[in-house]
């Protein structure tokens, strides 16, 4: 998977991207990630990347031309046209489902906005999709891009040890994960559930499924509307007070 990030703060991105699982994925050659400094793609002597917006109002806007030149340079280096994402509070909110779809793509190009954002004509010219990391406004696109790259990168083949490392996690199958415990078995008077220590795999699997359903019902009941539920799951949820009809409304 190739990912190019266009940013005014490459050092901010690099620090995060060389750490932990994403850093290891890069070292192992599974993730080919490059950060491109937008200022290098200016042609005026002051390396300006921004200007005032047309019409009344305050603030500055990233100009289309340096952003476009950076994009063209990346197309040239990689010898391909990437899938172009603009990080934006106006985009569709990132989900695990979209992260998984994006992890199957060969090459992503991520644009980090700043100030008041970017000239709309650049978006119209090259952007395939706008992605938001939530309904709030950040100063720049870097934190969003890092969230996106982390969410996608760990799903790429060979980055985590096994697919089960992510396929059993929250949101992968529409539910939240079950609670987990590690040693010691007794901590501050709190015990690890007995069933997890008795080695009966079938019983542990059922316990985990029910704990996952309970977690989801208690923390994010709206997820149950779209989660793939078996009749056995629904029966269990009803014992908790869940009402299917009510939740569908
Ligand atoms: C201050 S924001 C601009 C907001 C823009 N004026 C608006 O109201 O839609 C500057 C940049 O931060 C990034 N950004 C801000 N909030 C974001 C979010 N929730 N998700 C992803 N990127 C975000 C975008 O790249 C944006 O261009």
């Amino acid at each position: 998977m190739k990912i190019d990030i266009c940013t005014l703060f490459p050092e901010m991105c690099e620090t995060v991207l060389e750490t932990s699982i994403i850093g290891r994925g890069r070292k192992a050659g599974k993730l080919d990630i490059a950060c491109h400094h937008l200022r290098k793609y200016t042609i005026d002597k002051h390396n300006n990347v921004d200007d005032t917006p047309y019409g009344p109002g305050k603030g500055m806007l990233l100009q289309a031309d340096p952003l476009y030149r950076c994009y063209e340079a990346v197309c040239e280096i990689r010898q391909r046209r990437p899938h172009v994402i603009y990080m934006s509070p106006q985009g569709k909110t990132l989900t695990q489902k979209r992260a998984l779809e994006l992890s199957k793509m060969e090459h992503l190009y991520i644009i980090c906005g700043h100030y008041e954002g970017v000239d709309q004509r650049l978006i119209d010219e090259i952007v395939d999709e706008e992605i938001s990391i939530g309904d709030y406004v950040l100063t720049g696109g870097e934190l969003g891009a890092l969230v996106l790259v982390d969410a996608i990168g760990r799903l790429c083949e060979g980055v985590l040890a096994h697919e089960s490392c992510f396929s059993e996690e929250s949101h992968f199958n529409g539910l939240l994960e079950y609670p987990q415990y590690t040693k010691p078995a007794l901590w501050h008077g709190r015990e690890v559930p007995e069933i997890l220590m008795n080695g009966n795999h079938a019983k542990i699997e059922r316990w985990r499924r029910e704990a996952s359903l309970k977690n989801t019902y208690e923390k994010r009941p709206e997820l149950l509307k779209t989660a793939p539920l078996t009749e056995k799951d629904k029966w269990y949820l009803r014992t908790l007070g869940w009402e299917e009809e009510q939740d569908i409304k």
Side-chain angles (χ1 to χ4, degrees):
M1 154 74 83
K2 297 173 181 50
I3 304 178
D4 288 281
I5 304 173
C6 173
T7 167
L8 275 175
F9 304 98
E11 66 292 345
M12 174 179 172
C13 299
E14 276 297 349
T15 306
V16 174
L17 295 172
E18 64 194 22
T19 312
S20 185
I21 286 169
I22 301 302
R24 286 210 298 274
R26 291 174 83 185
K27 280 195 193 111
K30 306 289 179 195
L31 300 170
D32 177 357
I33 305 175
C35 301
H36 305 273
H37 196 328
L38 182 59
R39 273 194 212 286
K40 287 195 182 151
Y41 299 91
T42 52
I43 45 175
D44 70 301
K45 64 176 178 178
H46 299 296
N47 302 116
N48 281 329
V49 291
D50 56 322
D51 211 327
T52 51
Y54 283 104
K58 296 198 182 87
M60 303 297 273
L61 213 53
L62 290 180
Q63 292 172 292
D65 220 41
L67 287 164
Y68 189 70
R69 242 179 271 117
C70 180
Y71 162 77
E72 275 194 313
V74 166
C75 292
E76 180 69 27
I77 296 164
R78 301 284 198 184
Q79 287 291 295
R80 58 184 305 131
R81 189 204 176 276
H83 180 76
V84 181
I85 297 167
Y86 169 47
M87 299 313 302
S88 165
Q90 301 180 24
K92 281 211 178 117
T93 309
L94 180 63
T95 60
Q96 184 72 6
K97 183 169 172 281
R98 190 61 192 140
L100 185 64
E101 288 162 358
L102 291 169
S103 74
K104 311 266 188 247
M105 291 190 175
E106 282 184 37
H107 184 197
L108 302 176
Y109 181 78
I110 304 175
I111 301 170
C112 303
H114 210 73
Y115 312 116
E116 286 303 308
V118 312
D119 189 316
Q120 182 62 38
R121 291 168 297 180
L122 185 278
I123 299 173
D124 297 340
E125 182 84 6
I126 64 168
V127 171
D128 296 305
E129 73 177 298
E130 296 182 39
I131 292 183
S132 165
I133 60 158
D135 287 345
Y136 40 79
V137 174
L138 302 164
T139 310
E142 286 72 17
L143 291 172
L146 292 170
V147 167
L148 180 63
V149 172
D150 192 286
I152 292 172
R154 65 200 299 283
L155 300 175
C156 290
E157 209 183 316
V159 173
L160 291 177
H162 302 286
E163 197 187 304
S164 62
C165 296
F166 57 79
S167 65
E168 288 173 11
E169 284 184 312
S170 297
H171 299 293
F172 193 86
N173 65 356
L175 297 174
L176 304 182
E177 197 182 49
Y178 45 82
Q180 301 207 65
Y181 303 85
T182 185
K183 294 176 185 67
L186 181 66
W187 179 82
H188 282 213
R190 296 171 188 272
E191 290 175 356
V192 172
E194 178 65 33
I195 198 161
L196 296 179
M197 297 188 290
N198 71 13
N200 183 327
H201 284 222
K203 281 189 177 163
I204 291 174
E205 279 316 302
R206 192 60 217 161
W207 180 90
R208 285 183 167 169
R209 181 73 185 173
E210 290 183 355
S212 169
L213 290 163
K214 185 166 185 280
N215 230 1
T216 311
Y217 175 64
E218 287 174 355
K219 295 178 182 168
R220 297 285 305 278
E222 78 281 7
L223 295 179
L224 295 171
K225 288 178 196 168
T226 47
L229 300 173
T230 64
E231 282 310 310
K232 206 171 171 185
D233 292 336
K234 290 181 185 178
W235 176 86
Y236 173 71
L237 281 165
R238 282 188 207 106
T239 69
L240 303 176
W242 176 71
E243 290 174 40
E244 191 172 4
E245 298 307 316
Q246 189 188 8
D247 277 52
I248 280 168
K249 274 178 211 156

